Amino acid sequence: MDDQATGRNLPIDNPLMLIGGELVESESGRRFASIDPATEEELGTVPEGSAKDVARAYEAAAAAQPGWAALSPAERGAYLRKLADALHEQAERILITEVIDTGNTIAKMRGDVGAAVSQLTYFSGLGYEIKGDTVPATPGNLHMTVREPYGVVGRIIPFNHPIMFAAAKLGPALMAGNTVIEKPSEQSPLSASILAEICAEVLPAGVVNIITGFGREAGDAIVRHPKIKRVAFIGSVPTGMAIQRSAAEVAVKNVTLELGGKNPMIVFPDADMEKAVPAAINGMNFAWQGQSCGSTSRLFLHADIYDSFLEDLVGRVKAMKVGDPLAEDSDMGPINNKGQYEKVLHYISVGKEDGGRLVAGGKRPKGKAFEKGFWIEPTVFADMTPDMRLANEEVFGPVLSVFKWDDLDRVIEIANSVEYGLTGAVWTRDISAAIATAHRIASGYIWVNGVGAHYPAMSFGGFRNSGTGREEGIDEMLSYTEEKAIHVML
Ligand code: NAD
């Protein structure tokens, strides 16, 4: 595909879906466009999957599942490693596609295929952990539990890390003996079509099925399919709630949700400022245009360090280079899509209306390169108070809210006052204060003197409206199994 506007060549010719081992068009023949967020030009089209396509995918996945589950854990693990190797071989092709399609900068995006490869490799070795217990429930008899796969499972993913989520998240479901129907985001669907090509080559037919399409049709069809009992979703809170409702209208289902965040970073006066200031920028994920669920988008600075920290922070944020996501020296690209861009602009005006002090960004960067596209400068609001809407609601954009604190009980109360509870960060040299504060923050994943990183085998997930269920560790694989108790009377 040729992107006329930028002269960039997309290394994918005719993106298709994957059903039953075949690369296919949608049953209706309809396709929809993916838009380059840097230029607003059309990059190309992908099939618009429908409920009929999901039904076809279900039949293929159901037919493949008994054979897949009958393989030994070692054999399934070997397939997962083949998939990881094939992704690794095509890493450059995926990277270029992904950078153009998402607007995420190439320097950052380079890690995403690697993260998918290492997660697939991690899960490929976990098959023998799908084990049960024996319980001495009665003397002389044998009471045991075994874990069985659900069968066909559904996965629905968001736009921000398309290939990482699409590829890595196959691992735990497949390892547990399920076959999968997966739907990427309609906003950045192109890399999933490369994944479809790879899966068609390395996996048995029907084990993975990929349906590109819109949430309200293809996504909803997965959620409402009466025979898909296990659905895993990553996305926003409103969609997660809609999915729980839709699923409940059809059947009793196991739905796990990895949702949004408005995550606090609390900086004590004794923190190592040399490290904490850049950490506040990294934690906000400006480099992903703020489009990462774990972003520490609420920064709480102790009054003693507020002015000096803020000055240093604002200087660094203003020095960030917004530019072509394919350029190695760009610190920040465009927002992923028009709807998200408008949401970011909306929250910037809400921040101003509610009395936040705009100290960096807040507008489109100047210059010819930024006349089209979903561009915004990295933005910081200071002197935020908890009554403001921007202080409470997830923007999922490069907008950091800074608060001043001097009472620890009160700052923890404010940190916990939003509907979310995904991540949190505590910065202090006092290890007792750090651990006590980490315990008091009502979130599922806390860093002490750190931000942003996910660690191998450590489960990730949210409290409150940030979700239900845990991913990335062994719990994720076990969540794709149902436990059965067997009682043997001897
Ligand atoms: P979104 O909720 O708009 O869409 C996510 C996916 O759901 C897309 O594939 C979409 O097509 C599908 N969808 C939409 N409506 C649906 C419906 N009614 N039924 C079934 N599927 C439907 O989210 P987004 O804008 O793509 O992603 C941003 C959100 O994702 C943010 O809130 C972010 O915090 C969250 N997120 C969370 C995590 C996490 O691990 N907790 C990770 C990444 C992103």
Side-chain angles (χ1 to χ4, degrees), residues 72-93:
S72 71
E75 288 167 322
R76 286 199 299 274
Y79 272 116
L80 255 58
R81 284 192 295 280
K82 261 173 89 174
L83 178 58
D85 289 346
L87 277 165
H88 182 67
E89 274 163 29
Q90 302 227 22
E92 195 59 24
R93 181 178 171 223

Side-chain angles (χ1 to χ4, degrees), residues 104-105 108 281-282 284-290 320 331-333:
N104 295 330
T105 59
K108 274 285 170 188
I281 293 170
N282 291 338
M284 179 56 236
N285 286 306
F286 280 117
W288 296 97
Q289 297 79 250
M320 289 182 79
D331 295 320
M332 208 176 112

Side-chain angles (χ1 to χ4, degrees), residues 111-131:
D112 269 32
V113 175
V117 167
S118 44
Q119 282 208 39
L120 283 170
T121 309
Y122 164 68
F123 283 110
S124 78
L126 280 188
Y128 292 103
E129 295 303 319
I130 306 171
K131 54 196 183 192

